[in-house]
Amino acid sequence: MKIIRKIALAELQLLFYSPIAWIILIVFTIQAALFFTNIFDRTVQTQDLHYHLENVTFRLFANPYNGFFIGILEYLYLYIPLLTMGLMSRELGSGSINLLYSSPVRNSQIILGKFLSMMAYGVVLIVILSVFVIFAGCTVKEFDWSLILGGLLGIYLLICAYVAIGLFMSSLTSYQVVAVVSTLIVLAFLNTVSRFGQEHDFIREITYWLSINGRVNEAIGGLLCSEDLLYFLIVSGLFLSLSILRLKSVRQKSSWGLSWSKYTGVVIAAMLLGYLTSRPTLMGFHDTTRTKQRTLTENSQQIIRRAEGELKMTVYVNALDDDIWNGLPRNRKNDLENFAQYIRFKPEMEVKYVYYYADTGDPMLAKRYPGLSISRMVGEICRSYRIDSTMFLPPEKIAQSIDLAPEGYRIVRLLEGENGQRTFLRMFNDMQRYPSEMEISAALKRLVMELPVVGFLSGHGERDYTMEGDLGYYQFAQDKWFRYALINQGFDCQEVTLDDEIPAHITILTIADMRRALTPAEQVHLDAYIARGGNLLVLGEPRRQEVMNPIVAPLGVQFMPGQLVKWSGTKPVEEEEEEVRRMFFNPKKQVERGNNFSADFIQSRLTRESREVSYRYDQMYRDERVVTMPGCVGLAYSEERGFKVIPLMRSDTIESWNELETTDFIDDTVRLNPAIGEVVKSYPTALALSRQVNGKEQKVIIIGDADCISNGEITRGRAKVLASNYDMLMGSFFWLSDNEVPIDIRRPTPPDNTIFMTGVSANVSKWFLTGLFPLLLLASCLVIWLRRRGR
C-alpha cells in the first residue's frame, strides 16, 4: 500500500505541474457556476413572482430536465479523457515504463497508484461541486442534505469508472491523442449499447447491464440501488484488471492467445457479477429523500405485504393497438420501469409478455391500410417496426386462452395471485398512459381482499352508469380507459333494483335523479338497506323533489322547492339587457357578468367543515376549487333523525337565491321576488350524514345536483372556473368506502419550499459564484504552479 501511495503522490505532483489539470479545474468551475446560477436565478424569480415553491432541493439539483447535477453529467465525460490520456501513454512514449519494469514494483501497484491519484483528483471535482451545495444549503429552507450526498456519491463513482476506462485505453498506446479518442469511443459505446439487441431477451440483459447511460441518475434522484453502485465498482474493477493484464503481457512478452484468454476471463467474470447484482431478489435499495419520494407509500407497501405467495403479471400486446410500441421487446425495459417500485418489494413477481393480433374496431386502421385484411395489416405494421410477424398469435389462438374482447383488444396486464384472484391493469387515454401507484395498488388490492361494490339503483328513470351520453354516468363508473373511473380505482359497479332485498355485498347504493316514485314494496326494501347500515349516495335534480324527498326525509333532509340561481349583474335588469344588446349578445339569454353563464349554473364551494370528511375536500378547500352544478337544488336538514350532519358544499353568498318562479333560463329572466320567500343567501348543496348502526358507521352523502358527476360535466372545463368535480367525487367515494379506495398515496410535503434570497441578492451571489470564485481558484492555481516551477 505504501508503494501505491507513493506512485499516486508522484502522479499527482506531475499532473498538477502540467497546466492541463488547472485549466480543467477552472473551466469545470466556470461551467458549473454558470449552470447552477442560471437554475438558482430562475427559481428565485419564480418565488419573487409569488408562485408556490416545493421540493426546492430536488428542483435545483435533481430535476431530470434541468437539475444542476444532471447538467454536470452532460459534459463531465469530456474532462476525464484529458486527464487520463497521459497516465500510461506518457510512460510508454517516453520509455520511463522500462524504469518501472526494472524496479521491484508489481503491475497492480503501478495501475492502482495511478488510479488512486485520479481518485484524489475526482475528490477535488466533488469539492468544487460541494461549494454550490453548501451555498444552496445556506439559502434554502430545510435543505435535503441526504438527497445531495447520495447524488455526490453517484457522481464520484461515475468519475472513478470513467478514470478506469481512460487508464486502460492509455495503457494500449503511446500516443496521448489516440488515448483520448479511444476513451471517448468507449464511453460513447457504453452510453449507447443499450440500444442494441433489445429484441432478444439474452442480448437485452447483457447490453442493458453494460450501458452506463443513466446509471447515476437514480442516485441523483434520491434512490441508491445496489445494482447501480456495484455496476460502477465492477466496471472500474474490470478496466483496472484489464490494465494490469495489459502491463503484464507487455512486461512478460506473453503470447497473443494467452493474453486474450485472460482478457476474456476477466470480462466473463465481470459479466457474471453484473448478472448476479441485477437479479431483483439480490438488489438492495435506500431512499435518500427526506420524505421517501422514491419509495411506495406505506399504504401500497401494506398491500404488497398482504399479497403473499406468487404474483404473476401477463402483458397482452395487440399488434393493431396504438400502444403496441410500449409492449415491444425493444421497449420492455422501459415498460417494466413503470413497475420497478413494486418489483422492488415483490422481486419474485413473474412477468410474461404475450403477443397477438385482433381487430380493435379502430376505423383509422382501414383508412391507413385500405383494402388489406387484418393479417396483412399486421404484416405491414411488423415491417414498419422491423419485428417478426410470426411472434403474434392469430385471434383464434389467443381466444383459446383468454377472452380479451371486453378489454377492447387493447394492451392490458392481467394480474394473478396465488389465491386464484385475477384482475386487469390497463393503459389510459391521457398523456401519462401508464397506470400510476394509485391504480396499480388498487388492482393489487383486488387480489388480496374484497373491495367495495357500488350499486346503481335502476327502474325509476335514474341515471344509467352504462350510458355514454352527456347525462349518463359511464365515464366515472365504467370507462375502462379513463384513469379515474371507479372500476380502475378499486370499485366494482352493479345495477340494483328494489324488486327484492338489496344484496348484502352492496356497500354503497347510488340513487341519482329518480323520475318515478318507489312503490310501497320497493320502499320497504330501501328502508331495510338503510336500517342495516348501508351507505348511500343520493343526487337530486330540480323538479324531482316530489319523487326524491320521500327517500331523504327519513334521514332528516329535504330537497327544497325551486332551484338555486346566481345573478352577478349590479344594474337593474332592464339596463343590463340594454347593455347586452350593445354587446351584440342575445338579450334574452341569461348573462353572468364576465363569463356568460346561465343563471342556473352554480359554483358550489367546499365548506370549512368538509375538511374533516376527506383529505381531497381539504385540498379543494385550500386550493379554492369549486364543484360546477348546472341546475342545482338547495338542501334543508335537521339532526333530529339521529344523524350527524356536515354541510360539504354551499352556493355563493353574493346575489344567489332559491328561485321559485322562473324555470326557463334561456328565454326568460330571473328576478328576485322577496314577497314569495326568495332570499339572497348561501344554501347547502351537499351534505354528509353519519351515525352508528350495528357497530359500524353508516355514511350518507346527499347532493342537490345529479349533473355534476355526469359524462358531460365531470371533466368539462370553463374559462376562469377552477372546477374539481372529479376530486369531489373521489373524496366522496373514499369516505363512503371507509377510506379503503381510491388508495391514499399522499406523502409528507417536503419542507424545503423557500429560498432566503431575493432577485437582487441572487444577482450578487451570481457574480460571486461565476466571477470571484473562479478567479480565487485561478489565483491559487497560479501561486501553487509558479512556486513549484521555481523549485
Side-chain angles (χ1 to χ4, degrees):
M1 188 62 191
K2 185 181 295 185
I3 296 176
I4 294 174
R5 186 167 62 252
K6 287 183 177 181
I7 294 174
L9 289 174
E11 189 65 37
L12 279 174
Q13 289 176 350
L14 187 61
L15 179 66
F16 281 100
Y17 184 76
S18 168
I20 185 67
W22 299 108
I23 292 174
I24 288 176
L25 281 181
I26 300 300
V27 174
F28 178 79
T29 302
I30 293 174
Q31 281 192 317
L34 290 172
F35 199 82
F36 175 79
T37 52
N38 284 336
I39 299 171
F40 193 81
D41 279 353
R42 288 198 298 269
T43 308
V44 171
Q45 185 180 56
T46 301
Q47 179 177 266
D48 288 345
L49 292 171
H50 298 283
Y51 287 106
H52 175 67
L53 291 182
E54 187 175 289
N55 210 356
V56 175
T57 308
F58 182 88
R59 175 172 179 162
L60 289 176
F61 290 91
N63 188 312
Y65 301 104
N66 60 356
F68 176 57
F69 286 163
I70 300 298
I72 291 296
L73 298 181
E74 293 180 0
Y75 51 83
L76 181 63
Y77 74 95
L78 296 174
Y79 297 120
I80 305 303
L82 297 176
L83 294 167
T84 60
M85 63 181 181
L87 288 178
M88 292 305 302
S89 297
R90 182 177 60 251
E91 309 282 1
L92 295 171
S94 64
S96 59
I97 189 66
N98 296 320
L99 295 176
L100 291 173
Y101 286 162
S102 62
S103 62
V105 179
R106 296 193 299 271
N107 298 320
S108 59
Q109 292 174 329
I110 296 173
I111 295 300
L112 292 178
K114 291 181 176 291
F115 180 70
L116 181 60
S117 69
M118 293 307 302
M119 287 180 66
Y121 192 92
V123 171
V124 176
L125 295 178
I126 295 299
V127 169
I128 291 175
L129 295 180
S130 298
V131 172
F132 303 101
V133 171
I134 293 171
F135 173 82
C138 295
T139 56
V140 175
K141 175 185 175 183
E142 298 196 40
F143 191 73
D144 193 350
W145 290 101
S146 60
L147 169 66
I148 300 305
L149 292 176
L152 288 175
L153 173 63
I155 293 175
Y156 182 68
L157 291 176
L158 179 65
I159 291 173
C160 292
Y162 283 169
V163 167
I165 295 169
L167 178 57
F168 172 65
M169 303 313 296
S170 179
S171 69
L172 297 178
T173 177
S174 60
Y175 298 100
Q176 296 187 25
V177 174
V178 175
V180 171
V181 174
S182 58
T183 302
L184 291 173
I185 291 174
V186 172
L187 294 180
F189 170 76
L190 291 178
N191 271 284
T192 58
V193 67
S194 61
R195 302 177 186 176
F196 303 112
Q198 294 299 294
E199 294 83 2
H200 310 286
D201 293 345
F202 178 71
I203 299 177
R204 183 192 311 115
E205 293 296 325
I206 296 176
T207 57
Y208 192 82
W209 181 85
L210 277 175
S211 176
I212 202 170
N213 183 31
R215 283 284 182 179
V216 74
N217 290 31
E218 289 293 319
I220 290 175
L223 185 65
L224 296 180
C225 175
S226 62
E227 179 191 12
D228 294 329
L229 299 182
L230 291 173
Y231 168 85
F232 292 120
L233 298 179
I234 292 172
V235 168
S236 298
L238 168 64
F239 283 96
L240 289 176
S241 300
L242 293 176
S243 301
I244 294 171
L245 290 175
R246 167 62 180 168
L247 286 190
K248 187 175 181 180
S249 65
V250 174
R251 194 173 189 175
Q252 299 180 351
K253 303 299 182 182
S254 302
S255 65
W256 181 87
L258 180 61
S259 297
W260 274 98
S261 63
K262 293 179 179 179
Y263 293 151
T264 303
V266 169
V267 172
I268 292 175
M271 298 294 290
L272 179 60
L273 286 174
Y275 174 80
L276 293 176
T277 59
S278 65
R279 297 305 88 196
T281 53
L282 298 178
M283 288 186 190
F285 299 87
H286 176 63
D287 191 338
T288 61
T289 61
R290 180 192 286 116
T291 56
K292 305 306 176 187
Q293 298 287 323
R294 301 300 307 277
T295 305
L296 290 176
T297 58
E298 184 57 34
N299 286 338
S300 295
Q301 291 183 44
Q302 290 179 4
I303 294 171
I304 287 289
R305 285 193 288 268
R306 294 182 64 177
E308 299 177 351
E310 294 183 358
L311 178 62
K312 182 178 179 181
M313 180 171 71
T314 305
V315 187
Y316 292 94
V317 184
N318 186 359
L320 299 176
D321 185 15
D322 288 338
D323 286 320
I324 178 178
W325 169 257
N326 296 298
L328 290 180
R330 73 185 66 168
N331 200 50
R332 189 169 296 176
K333 286 293 185 180
N334 292 332
D335 183 63
L336 290 176
E337 190 64 29
N338 294 278
F339 304 90
Q341 290 192 4
Y342 289 87
I343 296 175
R344 167 183 167 184
F345 288 96
K346 195 74 173 176
E348 69 276 11
M349 181 170 67
E350 178 186 352
V351 181
K352 178 183 177 182
Y353 285 77
V354 176
Y355 297 91
Y356 74 101
Y357 67 89
D359 188 3
T360 62
D362 184 1
M364 293 303 298
L365 281 173
K367 293 183 179 181
R368 287 164 53 194
Y369 305 103
L372 295 186
S373 63
I374 295 297
S375 58
R376 291 187 61 188
M377 288 182 187
V378 173
E380 291 296 321
I381 291 172
C382 291
R383 232 185 326 272
S384 300
Y385 283 114
R386 297 180 178 87
I387 54 178
D388 183 8
S389 61
T390 59
M391 64 186 288
F392 292 92
L393 300 175
E396 57 274 11
K397 278 285 184 69
I398 193 65
Q400 293 174 4
S401 59
I402 187 171
D403 181 15
L404 294 174
E407 297 298 319
Y409 293 112
R410 295 180 57 167
I411 182 171
V412 70
R413 291 168 172 80
L414 177 64
L415 299 178
E416 299 175 274
E418 193 174 56
N419 57 4
Q421 294 295 318
R422 309 170 74 189
T423 189
F424 284 109
L425 191 59
R426 305 171 180 89
M427 305 282 280
F428 302 111
N429 293 337
D430 53 31
M431 294 295 292
Q432 184 177 339
R433 306 298 287 176
Y434 278 92
S436 68
E437 179 182 343
M438 191 159 60
E439 290 80 52
I440 299 173
S441 295
L444 290 173
K445 201 167 187 176
R446 286 181 179 273
L447 303 180
V448 299
M449 65 174 291
E450 293 290 333
L451 289 181
V453 179
V454 181
F456 288 84
L457 186 63
S458 66
H460 314 86
E462 298 90 346
R463 300 295 176 97
D464 190 344
Y465 76 100
T466 64
M467 188 175 75
E468 299 185 28
D470 282 351
L471 298 180
Y473 284 176
Y474 172 78
Q475 186 170 20
F476 90 78
Q478 288 285 87
D479 189 350
K480 294 178 179 179
W481 321 121
F482 180 50
R483 178 181 305 277
Y484 305 107
L486 295 180
I487 193 174
N488 293 319
Q489 294 299 326
F491 294 92
D492 285 322
C493 299
Q494 177 181 329
E495 182 179 348
V496 173
T497 65
L498 294 176
D499 296 336
D500 297 303
E501 289 188 2
I502 297 175
H505 66 273
I506 300 295
T507 51
I508 304 170
L509 179 63
T510 301
I511 305 175
D513 191 15
M514 278 180 49
R515 304 190 178 204
R516 295 186 297 277
L518 300 179
T519 65
E522 291 174 330
Q523 186 69 53
V524 169
H525 293 148
L526 178 60
D527 291 342
Y529 173 81
I530 297 174
R532 78 184 190 208
N535 294 341
L536 279 170
L537 173 62
V538 183
L539 302 103
E541 271 287 299
R543 297 184 295 278
R544 302 284 187 265
Q545 291 92 330
E546 183 179 351
V547 173
M548 298 200 66
N549 270 335
I551 294 176
V552 298
L555 309 177
V557 180
Q558 177 191 10
F559 290 107
M560 299 175 63
Q563 73 177 91
L564 301 181
V565 296
K566 176 178 171 57
W567 172 258
S568 61
T570 58
K571 304 177 183 179
V573 174
E574 292 77 8
E575 294 183 24
E576 189 74 25
E577 290 182 350
E578 182 59 32
E579 182 176 328
V580 171
R581 289 190 185 94
R582 290 197 300 268
M583 295 173 64
F584 303 100
F585 287 113
N586 182 349
K588 293 184 177 181
K589 183 176 177 60
Q590 187 66 52
V591 175
E592 182 178 351
R593 181 182 297 277
N595 51 33
N596 302 322
F597 294 142
S598 177
D600 62 343
F601 177 72
I602 301 300
Q603 299 181 42
S604 291
R605 302 184 182 277
L606 275 295
T607 64
R608 184 181 297 273
E609 299 88 342
S610 69
R611 304 173 68 179
E612 66 183 74
V613 174
S614 170
Y615 72 91
R616 288 181 178 266
Y617 292 160
D618 176 60
Q619 186 65 48
M620 289 177 63
Y621 179 85
R622 287 188 284 111
D623 293 343
E624 298 183 353
R625 296 276 175 171
V626 301
V627 175
T628 54
M629 297 182 173
C632 178
V633 177
L635 302 175
Y637 65 91
S638 167
E639 296 188 348
E640 296 178 354
R641 298 303 180 100
F643 284 92
K644 175 186 175 182
V645 182
I646 299 177
L648 297 179
M649 291 176 280
R650 304 185 71 94
S651 62
D652 205 335
T653 58
I654 302 174
E655 296 180 330
S656 176
W657 67 88
N658 187 33
E659 177 64 36
L660 300 174
E661 294 181 314
T662 306
T663 57
D664 184 352
F665 298 99
I666 296 179
D667 296 321
D668 202 353
T669 303
V670 296
R671 291 177 174 80
L672 179 65
N673 187 356
I676 62 172
E678 295 179 351
V679 180
V680 175
K681 69 173 186 178
S682 175
Y683 290 86
T685 57
L687 303 172
L689 290 72
S690 62
R691 67 175 179 178
Q692 291 295 321
V693 177
N694 299 326
K696 67 176 288 288
E697 185 179 20
Q698 183 180 31
K699 299 176 180 179
V700 179
I701 290 181
I702 301 174
I703 302 176
D705 177 40
D707 290 326
C708 64
I709 60 173
S710 65
N711 300 333
E713 187 65 28
I714 193 168
T715 57
R716 180 177 177 180
R718 293 180 177 87
K720 301 180 182 180
V721 177
L722 298 177
S724 288
N725 289 33
Y726 200 83
D727 283 331
M728 179 276 296
L729 183 64
M730 287 296 96
S732 300
F733 277 102
F734 181 72
W735 185 66
L736 291 170
S737 68
D738 297 324
N739 301 346
E740 287 289 346
V741 281
I743 306 298
D744 182 4
I745 59 170
R746 286 177 296 165
R747 302 174 186 272
T749 302
D752 50 336
N753 56 9
T754 304
I755 298 179
F756 301 122
M757 298 190 80
T758 62
V760 175
S761 53
N763 194 43
V764 173
S765 63
K766 180 177 183 178
W767 282 107
F768 170 78
L769 292 173
T770 59
L772 185 59
F773 176 45
L775 286 176
L776 290 174
L777 186 60
L778 176 60
S780 302
C781 295
L782 289 175
V783 170
I784 296 173
W785 185 60
L786 290 174
R787 288 184 62 184
R788 295 191 69 247
R789 282 184 61 89
R791 293 175 184 174

